[in-house]
Amino acid sequence: MSRPVTARVPAKVNVQLAVGGLRPDGFHDLANVFLAVGLHDEVTAAPADALRITVEGADAAQVPLDRTNLAARAALALAERHGIEPGVHLHIAKDIPVAGGMAGGSADAAGALLACDALWGTRATRAELLEICAELGSDIPFSLVGGVALGRGRGELLTPLETGGTFHWVFAVADGGLSTPAVYRECDRLREESGAGANAADVPDPEPSQALLDALRTGDATALAAAVSNDLQPAALSLRPALADTLRAGADAGALASLVSGSGPTCAFLAKDVEAAQGVATALAASGTCRTVRVTSGPVPGARLVDA
């Protein structure tokens, strides 16, 4: 009997999320600059007679335990490619906020792929794993790669980016989640309402900010703070107006930058150093504008196997 295998996978924050117009296939072209941060889920794959999912940790009750779970879909995709039965018990230990705009579900899929590949001895190449990731979801390839990367296309076409230092972050976790498709729909609606139009022909092609890329390369937190942006933030605030209070509380506490993480509702705050991050976290925790606060840093590596 094979021993269980555990993979550890990080959360992400989008330091830039530039969103193009709505494509005919229902997706949007992106210029998506991902940065992996030190909040991790762990996915353990153990031999079993059939596919089974269990989850522990914060908000575990919100995670589906059937085949709609991205980790389950990842295991099924790998098994199908290699013509094997997907007999595996996937146990997910959650530390990344659920439906929080930090790619927790994507992380679990990448972790499941890596763990099942090791458990089953399928010896999939890195390219094959990335191909499966891209088929499953736009954020999943980055969960496998980690570090800092620019995502083009739907976000799945990755180019690693050079970074010159560690950036310190505070994350304010909201009550409840936000549906990523709903936030994109609201983004399209707001664009239509403004008169600018929401289709690909109406919206300029998304491009990464050169100032942001330079700030990442030099490790300059102040320059990075001046360059961060999220085109989905107005939509997230439209659907969850209370997030404006959270963003204001972090800014008032001295954060260099305050933004909604991805599709939200988690809010991300960039701080100049560890001490400043702790000060922002303390103020946010006392503000009554969020449920919990997490302090961490990045970039960190992507999915990797660990001793269970």
Side-chain angles (χ1 to χ4, degrees):
M1 180 70 77
S2 302
R3 291 182 56 216
V5 179
T6 298
R8 195 165 190 250
V9 200
K12 60 82 180 166
V13 61
N14 305 92
V15 290
Q16 181 184 1
L17 182 48
V19 179
L22 182 64
R23 302 188 327 204
D25 64 1
F27 289 103
H28 300 73
D29 283 322
L30 303 176
N32 194 352
V33 181
F34 299 98
L35 189 147
V37 296
L39 303 179
H40 294 84
D41 283 0
E42 290 192 349
V43 182
T44 300
D49 293 334
L51 177 63
R52 184 163 70 95
I53 306 281
T54 54
V55 184
E56 66 172 300
D59 300 322
Q62 296 180 33
V63 179
L65 302 180
D66 58 16
R67 293 190 175 202
T68 63
N69 184 295
L70 275 173
R73 290 175 57 199
L76 290 166
L78 183 66
E80 183 177 354
R81 277 192 175 225
H82 290 269
I84 59 177
E85 284 298 315
V88 64
H89 171 204
L90 295 174
H91 181 73
I92 303 169
K94 295 291 299 177
D95 193 43
I96 302 172
V98 175
M102 297 186 73
S106 296
D108 297 342
L113 265 183
L114 206 60
C116 287
D117 176 58
L119 180 74
W120 295 334
T122 47
R123 298 187 179 183
T125 64
R126 187 76 162 175
E128 181 183 350
L129 291 176
L130 283 169
E131 189 177 317
I132 297 171
C133 286
E135 289 169 0
L136 292 169
S138 302
D139 287 350
I140 301 174
F142 178 73
S143 296
L144 192 69
V145 171
V148 183
L150 168 64
R152 304 303 296 255
R154 294 181 282 111
E156 83 282 14
L157 305 173
L158 296 178
T159 302
L161 296 175
E162 184 184 350
T163 52
T166 296
F167 298 97
H168 299 277
W169 294 92
V170 180
F171 293 96
V173 182
D175 276 316
L178 269 177
S179 156
T180 297
V183 175
Y184 273 96
R185 285 194 298 272
E186 182 67 1
C187 176
D188 294 336
R189 188 191 71 79
L190 290 173
R191 285 172 168 177
E192 288 282 6
E193 189 177 76
S194 75
N199 293 324
D202 305 318
V203 181
D205 291 339
E207 294 294 338
S209 157
Q210 189 58 52
L212 182 129
L213 300 181
D214 291 343
L216 289 169
R217 190 178 65 254
T218 59
D220 187 333
T222 302
L224 180 63
V228 297
S229 64
N230 179 3
D231 286 357
L232 291 182
Q233 182 163 308
L237 289 170
S238 176
L239 295 173
R240 193 75 67 83
L243 295 180
D245 296 331
T246 312
L247 294 172
R248 193 176 305 111
D252 290 347
L256 296 176
S258 308
L259 73 161
V260 173
S261 179
S263 58
T266 300
C267 292
F269 303 90
L270 179 61
K272 68 176 183 178
D273 53 31
V274 175
E275 291 77 19
Q278 290 293 348
V280 171
T282 299
L284 280 166
S287 71
T289 64
C290 57
R291 186 181 52 168
T292 56
V293 179
R294 307 294 301 280
V295 180
T296 188
S297 61
V300 300
R304 63 193 190 279
L305 298 177
V306 299
D307 292 330

